[in-house]
Amino acid sequence: MLPVSALIGPLDILGGGKPGDDGAPGPQGPAGAGVVGDSAVPYTTEWQRPQRWRKLAGTATAHSATASADALTLATTAAGTQMVGPSIPIQQLANRTVIVEAQFTSVPGAADGFFFGVGGLTYGTLDSAAAVVITWRANGSMVVNNASAATITPWAVSPSSAYNLPAHYITQNDVLRMVWKFGADPSTATMTPFKNGVPTGQTFTVSGLTEGCLWAGGRLTALGQSLRILRFSVLDNARKGYFWVDSAASATGADGTEARPYPSFAGLQDFVNATGLRRIEIVARGAHRGRPPVFTGFDEVVIRASVGDDCTIYGSELVTGGWVATPGVAGVWHRTGWVFDGVLNQPNGGVIDPNRVDGVIPFTMYGVAPKDTDPAALAEGQTSVHNTGPNAQKLFIRPWGGTDPNSLPLELVNRTSCLIIANGPGAAKDCYTKILGVRLRFATSYLLALDRVRFRIVEIDSEGSLTTSGIGYLDASGETIAPNVVGVYNDLYATVESSSGPVSRRPRLYFAGIRGRGAKVGDGVSIHNTCNAVIEGGELTDTGKYGVVVAALTAGADVTVRGMRCARNAAGNFANSGDPAAGLTQRLLLIDCHGHDAPINVLSNNSALSSTGPGGQVLTEVMGGGMLNAGVDPGYGHFKLANTNTDATRVTLKTYAVATGGTGADVVNNGGTHVSVSAAGAI
């Protein structure tokens, strides 16, 4: 058998590669289309159609094979069971993914199907018992055989019960896809079947495979039957896969190319999860609802809005109507069959009115009462999900002013997050993530969750977290450039420890041009884990607590803020609050920052975790800038120090050439002992 390099000719790359990007070839014309003969596909991450197709030997009188611009059509010319198809000589399957796609253009018989084979084929002839063939039959069965030129015998397959499954039934014009994933050991592969772009729900494990040749075709039993082989592709799992997602696209024939994008992130993710690809780049456009994207354990994930287009990912469904007045409870309505994250009867979720303005927030989040709250006890503007008792599977709502919710377009928030990218527990290396120009709207928890990944985020808008924060950095490291978060329950931006366990390195975060407003009970930027962070420029206003707060508790953190404006934050504009361990210093450095219209502009204190702290240092330094009009409460002043512990823990404030104005004292020392003020230059 010739090496694959000797058989590669000009190829048509569907969807177009990026010339020079990761070595992917650029788009080429359909040279050689229509020729029935040898075929070969190089390792690539793009869908490919072989330039030449090969028919199996010994079937020339029973079938015809015609290569067109978009497929190879196999048709019977005589009655009887026939197996025909193209092949790809290949010498190495380890860490490869193979995709075969077909479509019956005639009504298939019950035993008819399309197949994929591995090994045992040389130059079009079945010449070895080493071949393994899996056939997807029209009656819904998946049959795996050991094949030679003379015999077809049963072969081991798991799960063995996957026979005659309704999800596998084949009808005329169904688009059928097998995705074979080979790991480091090419003798075993997993196969995920798709019908019309949707996984059928079963994954098969096939063992005893041998390298040498890949081949595909059809089992056609009646005269005049026809099967089209639409795709026959080999992916190198180590290279990057490029995909398109467009909410206006059709699911029929979707393969992720620019010409045939997936209509949803769910469809793309189903396919990617079935492959062994570790690096993917997604170009997206349109408004996307339904199952949100969750990428775990990848080496690289890039998601970017198509140039000139919007891409919005929702964690909600927009509805008008469907509410039922609750008997005996005036002003309360409900809907039944509540589904959250795709699961019936979950105790989570709520409602957002996208057209009702709430102060600085251009929409209104209904308050989330505890699950199973008595409908009569709901306050105006509250919802409650019931998952036990006589009201199980119901979502209750009490709109403001007794308005009938059937007259309102409302967002039913039925997803935890809009986008999750995680490295996961026990992962050997980081996932690199890049998100560009995407908008995230309405979820119960983090709109974007970055868990133990390295990232770069540019121009991302996030709006409407019912119970948590906008962007959650879970021991993640990276850059956030020109983001905007509006209208969340807790923090606009929150750095926290990952539930997957501690990371071996201290996370490092960089923010530039950060903006946000409208955190109901939380902060603008809230640092809760051991990290180094730099925040340059931006504006954080109208929160329930602080604009920027370092609250790393015992871990300690080092945060520099430059050129930031904070205003109208209910507890204060900037704060450094923690109990660092002995020998550690939790440091907040403010350079040319401005604060106004808050009870405190800068707070430096210990948090009252215990009566005796661990003995570290809390250091706050303010260099330049202006702290004006702090006098919402003149007793607080522009700066405040507080030591809530009784040990030797020290709290220090140093100021350098800071302009102050308005009411209130410059510095209020509310800590007693172990607190020091150092004013180098005029305050």
Side-chain angles (χ1 to χ4, degrees):
M1 180 180 298
L2 294 174
V4 68
S5 59
L7 297 169
I8 296 174
L11 297 166
D12 177 35
I13 310 289
L14 297 186
K18 291 185 173 182
D21 192 332
D22 295 311
Q28 303 178 43
V35 178
V36 180
D38 290 345
S39 66
V41 176
Y43 303 142
T44 178
T45 55
E46 303 290 342
W47 283 110
Q48 291 206 352
R49 178 174 64 256
Q51 171 216 352
R52 298 174 180 271
W53 299 91
R54 168 181 294 152
K55 63 186 179 181
L56 298 187
T59 60
T61 60
H63 85 283
S64 65
T66 305
S68 64
D70 64 348
L72 175 71
T73 299
L74 310 170
T76 54
T77 59
T81 299
Q82 305 296 334
M83 301 182 76
V84 296
S87 63
I88 302 178
I90 191 169
Q91 291 183 323
Q92 191 174 36
L93 284 174
N95 299 313
R96 304 289 190 258
T97 296
V98 181
I99 300 98
V100 187
E101 192 172 276
Q103 180 184 47
F104 278 93
T105 53
S106 60
V107 178
D112 292 342
F114 98 100
F115 65 81
F116 173 74
V118 181
L121 184 76
T122 303
Y123 300 112
T125 302
L126 266 174
D127 57 6
S128 169
V132 175
V133 183
I134 185 166
T135 303
W136 182 350
R137 292 183 177 174
N139 64 6
S141 62
M142 292 285 180
V143 181
V144 178
N145 299 298
N146 172 242
S148 71
T151 62
I152 297 177
T153 57
W155 194 259
V157 61
S158 174
S160 59
S161 60
Y163 188 86
N164 290 338
L165 293 176
H168 294 156
Y169 292 166
I170 300 174
T171 60
Q172 184 178 1
N173 295 325
D174 282 339
V175 177
L176 313 171
R177 181 188 298 168
M178 292 186 190
V179 180
W180 288 71
K181 179 170 64 176
F182 294 84
D185 177 6
S187 68
T188 299
T190 59
M191 191 280 285
T192 303
F194 290 74
K195 186 168 74 173
N196 299 321
V198 179
T200 63
Q202 291 282 354
T203 297
F204 299 87
T205 301
V206 184
S207 57
L209 306 176
T210 59
E211 296 175 302
C213 192
L214 308 177
W215 41 295
R219 189 176 192 274
L220 309 175
T221 58
L223 181 63
Q225 286 184 304
S226 179
L227 173 72
R228 302 171 75 224
I229 305 297
L230 303 173
R231 304 285 181 270
F232 197 178
S233 307
V234 180
L235 310 184
D236 182 348
N237 296 337
R239 293 174 61 184
K240 185 187 291 186
Y242 296 92
F243 302 97
W244 285 74
V245 177
D246 186 344
S247 60
S250 170
T252 303
D255 59 19
T257 60
E258 184 176 3
R260 297 194 296 182
Y262 284 100
S264 69
F265 281 93
L268 168 61
Q269 184 149 18
D270 287 336
F271 169 72
V272 170
N273 288 346
T275 74
L277 291 173
R278 302 281 302 173
R279 302 168 59 221
I280 59 174
E281 181 164 339
I282 303 165
V283 182
R285 63 166 67 97
H288 297 272
R289 299 182 185 267
R291 176 158 58 93
V294 178
F295 296 101
T296 302
F298 286 79
D299 292 344
E300 180 181 357
V301 177
V302 178
I303 302 175
R304 57 187 176 90
S306 174
V307 175
D309 296 308
D310 292 328
C311 174
T312 304
I313 304 174
Y314 287 86
S316 61
E317 299 294 333
L318 182 64
V319 302
T320 300
W323 298 95
V324 178
T326 302
V329 187
V332 174
W333 283 259
H334 66 270
R335 56 195 311 124
T336 59
W338 179 248
V339 174
F340 184 83
D341 274 342
V343 180
L344 181 66
N345 201 31
Q346 295 298 296
N348 301 303
V351 174
I352 289 177
D353 186 336
N355 299 314
R356 187 178 191 271
V357 176
D358 180 14
V360 298
I361 303 173
F363 51 85
T364 296
M365 299 181 290
Y366 276 73
V368 179
K371 75 180 187 73
D372 299 331
T373 295
D374 184 347
L378 289 177
E380 276 195 346
Q382 276 193 327
T383 65
S384 177
V385 174
H386 286 235
N387 75 327
T388 61
N391 289 320
Q393 302 182 18
K394 292 181 179 179
L395 169 67
F396 289 87
I397 185 172
R398 185 186 288 274
W400 285 271
T403 303
D404 184 344
N406 290 294
S407 65
L408 303 173
L410 297 174
E411 296 279 356
L412 300 183
V413 183
N414 56 5
R415 299 289 176 178
T416 299
S417 294
C418 296
L419 175 60
I420 299 174
I421 302 178
N423 205 30
K429 56 185 176 180
D430 285 314
C431 168
Y432 174 67
T433 298
K434 185 159 61 175
I435 306 172
L436 308 173
V438 176
R439 186 183 189 189
L440 308 174
R441 300 197 81 192
F442 310 148
T444 61
S445 187
Y446 296 120
L447 297 162
L448 169 62
L450 300 169
D451 192 343
R452 297 162 59 96
V453 301
R454 297 180 189 269
F455 65 88
R456 191 168 197 266
I457 300 172
V458 180
E459 294 181 0
I460 184 171
D461 292 308
S462 302
E463 302 166 301
S465 171
L466 278 180
T467 64
T468 316
S469 302
I471 301 179
Y473 305 89
L474 290 76
D475 281 334
S477 292
E479 300 174 313
T480 304
I481 311 298
N484 188 33
V485 178
V486 176
V488 300
Y489 179 76
N490 200 8
D491 303 324
L492 299 173
Y493 306 85
T495 75
V496 298
E497 293 181 352
S498 171
S499 61
S500 297
V503 292
S504 58
R505 49 165 176 74
R506 172 176 285 207
R508 288 166 171 81
L509 297 163
Y510 176 76
F511 300 87
I514 188 170
R515 299 179 67 86
R517 67 184 189 276
K520 289 288 189 180
V521 301
D523 306 302
V525 174
S526 190
I527 306 292
H528 286 281
N529 62 340
T530 303
C531 70
N532 294 346
V534 175
I535 306 172
E536 291 194 326
E539 182 178 65
L540 297 168
T541 67
D542 302 284
T543 71
K545 289 184 181 177
Y546 296 96
V548 177
V549 61
V550 185
L553 306 177
T554 61
D558 193 319
V559 179
T560 298
V561 184
R562 179 184 289 110
M564 173 66 67
R565 172 183 177 264
C566 289
R568 299 184 302 277
N569 297 294
N573 287 322
F574 304 93
N576 188 10
S577 178
D579 280 311
L584 296 179
T585 298
Q586 178 170 302
R587 178 171 176 263
L588 172 62
L589 171 62
L590 304 176
I591 303 174
D592 292 330
C593 291
H594 294 265
H596 60 86
D597 295 323
I600 308 167
N601 273 314
V602 181
L603 167 69
S604 184
N605 82 323
N606 300 112
S607 57
L609 289 182
S610 62
S611 59
T612 58
Q617 298 283 327
V618 176
L619 171 62
T620 305
E621 297 178 283
V622 186
M623 303 178 66
M627 300 296 167
L628 309 173
N629 301 320
V632 173
D633 183 342
Y636 281 102
H638 297 293
F639 303 93
K640 180 178 179 180
L641 294 91
N643 182 15
T644 59
N645 292 328
T646 58
D647 70 346
T649 299
R650 299 193 61 83
V651 181
T652 303
L653 169 69
K654 297 181 178 181
T655 62
Y656 306 85
V658 180
T660 61
T663 59
D666 283 331
V667 179
V668 175
N669 187 335
N670 192 34
T673 60
H674 314 305
V675 176
S676 63
V677 180
S678 174
I683 290 181

